[in-house]
Amino acid sequence: MKKLKVLGMITLNEGHNLKVILPIAKKIFDKIIVVDSGSKDDTKEICEKYNIDIFHREFDGFGNQWNYLLGLIDEGNLFVKMDPDERYNLKFLEILNQILTEGNENTIYILKRRWHLLGKPLLISDNVERIWFTNKTIKFSSNSLNERPVGYKHSSYLNYTIEHLDSKCLSDWIDKNNKYSSLEADNYINGLTFDTKPGFNSFRAIKMLIKKNFFKIPFRHVLVFFYFYFIKGLCWNGYRGYLASILWTSNYIWKEIKVKEKTIWK
């Protein structure tokens, strides 16, 4: 049986992004599956316009949404996890075709993702686990936010960068990260921030240790700003880099306040 290239996305009011990415995605993927969490915009209509399979499921955490989506895909197909605000071009098709012919079914493939803020790219990127052949072993962690695939044996880095546009405007960023910081607070309280399941590595171990003890670190918010602005190099992005450092630091502050609100101050 022919293995399909399957794109999976979860959405909530992502019509403005779907209008841009679906015409390209249709040229790359054999099948596209969208799990929607109750959009009030034109997400459904846009998916129907492009004959996309859209399923509706009440949101109860990103990990659970993605695992539901995985359950809709037959085993052995090549699955690609993408967010609607991430961008790629037709060169991505060559990468996927190569994995189909030469890839390992026990390997998860990692892409570089470059971040944008308010319509322009930043000099900051991260590595994201996004491509694998579907099987019974690889699932998503149960985190309500910052979910990640677990259960794989090997990983491989690909020479390809996707663009993460993030929010369309500052108010959109604030609204989105207000929700995200609440989910992160819940993760922290429930211990899900410190996931150490299969696929864990030493760098992530250090990162998880810092997260677990973050509230005990003196001058922690100053250190977060220093990390983004100087160590990650956002200082080279001028005022936009300064703004990004301020915004990402504020996300840590709101997370801490919400943890205290739900535990100490309740």
Side-chain angles (χ1 to χ4, degrees):
M1 183 180 294
K2 177 185 176 182
K3 295 180 179 180
L4 303 178
K5 300 183 293 291
V6 182
L7 170 66
M9 294 186 288
I10 60 176
T11 57
L12 178 63
N13 299 323
E14 293 286 357
H16 59 289
N17 279 315
L18 293 177
K19 291 175 183 176
V20 177
I21 201 59
L22 284 182
I24 300 173
K26 290 285 287 186
K27 298 178 181 178
I28 297 175
F29 297 95
D30 303 305
K31 187 178 182 65
I32 301 173
I33 298 177
V34 171
V35 172
D36 186 71
S37 304
S39 294
K40 303 299 183 183
D41 64 353
D42 54 353
T43 292
K44 179 181 177 181
E45 289 74 18
I46 294 171
C47 288
E48 291 175 345
K49 175 182 176 182
Y50 288 97
N51 296 315
I52 304 301
D53 293 328
I54 181 169
F55 299 84
H56 301 277
R57 185 179 188 273
E58 184 176 350
F59 184 83
D60 62 350
F62 282 98
N64 291 337
Q65 293 295 91
W66 282 112
N67 282 326
Y68 172 79
L69 191 152
L70 277 180
L72 301 172
I73 305 172
D74 293 334
E75 287 188 31
N77 289 316
L78 186 63
F79 170 68
V80 179
K81 173 188 183 289
M82 286 288 178
D83 295 332
D85 60 0
E86 293 173 338
R87 300 290 182 264
Y88 39 88
N89 55 33
L90 291 178
K91 184 182 177 182
F92 196 35
L93 177 59
E94 301 176 15
I95 301 288
L96 297 180
N97 284 336
Q98 184 175 2
I99 296 175
L100 275 177
T101 57
E102 304 174 9
N104 188 313
E105 295 189 358
N106 294 316
T107 298
I108 199 162
Y109 295 91
I110 299 173
L111 299 170
K112 179 175 285 188
R113 176 176 61 176
R114 181 168 63 168
W115 286 73
H116 290 230
L117 179 68
L118 306 181
K120 291 188 177 182
L122 297 168
L123 297 176
I124 185 172
S125 62
D126 58 355
N127 297 314
V128 287
E129 304 141 314
R130 289 304 179 83
I131 307 169
W132 64 89
F133 290 97
T134 51
N135 56 56
K136 294 180 180 179
T137 303
I138 303 178
K139 302 294 182 182
F140 284 92
S141 58
S142 57
N143 300 46
S144 56
L145 184 68
N146 296 327
E147 75 295 339
R148 51 178 295 269
V150 295
Y152 59 89
K153 296 181 179 179
H154 309 286
S155 61
S156 178
Y157 289 83
L158 299 174
N159 184 24
Y160 188 80
T161 301
I162 58 176
E163 306 291 337
H164 185 208
L165 303 189
D166 201 10
S167 304
K168 57 185 177 181
C169 61
L170 185 57
S171 61
D172 182 56
W173 190 97
I174 293 171
D175 289 342
K176 181 185 294 185
N177 281 273
N178 181 41
K179 297 175 183 176
Y180 285 179
S181 60
S182 295
L183 293 173
E184 287 180 335
D186 290 337
N187 277 348
Y188 186 92
I189 293 169
N190 295 322
L192 295 175
T193 301
F194 322 120
D195 179 28
T196 57
K197 294 181 179 179
F200 193 73
N201 57 46
S202 57
F203 174 77
R204 182 167 276 127
I206 296 172
K207 187 176 180 180
M208 294 302 111
L209 181 64
I210 293 174
K211 282 189 173 184
K212 187 173 183 178
N213 297 282
F214 179 73
F215 296 166
K216 302 176 183 178
I217 301 174
F219 309 108
R220 51 192 169 275
H221 302 122
V222 174
L223 293 174
V224 170
F225 176 85
F226 184 91
Y227 171 76
F228 284 119
Y229 193 63
F230 292 106
I231 297 179
K232 296 296 287 185
L234 285 173
C235 55
W236 299 109
N237 273 115
Y239 182 75
R240 191 177 298 271
Y242 172 77
L243 177 60
S245 302
I246 289 289
L247 290 174
W248 288 337
T249 301
S250 70
N251 192 55
Y252 280 78
I253 296 172
W254 281 112
K255 170 187 169 182
E256 181 172 343
I257 291 173
K258 290 176 180 181
V259 168
K260 291 183 177 180
E261 177 188 36
K262 296 183 178 186
T263 53
I264 301 174
W265 301 335
K266 67 177 181 179

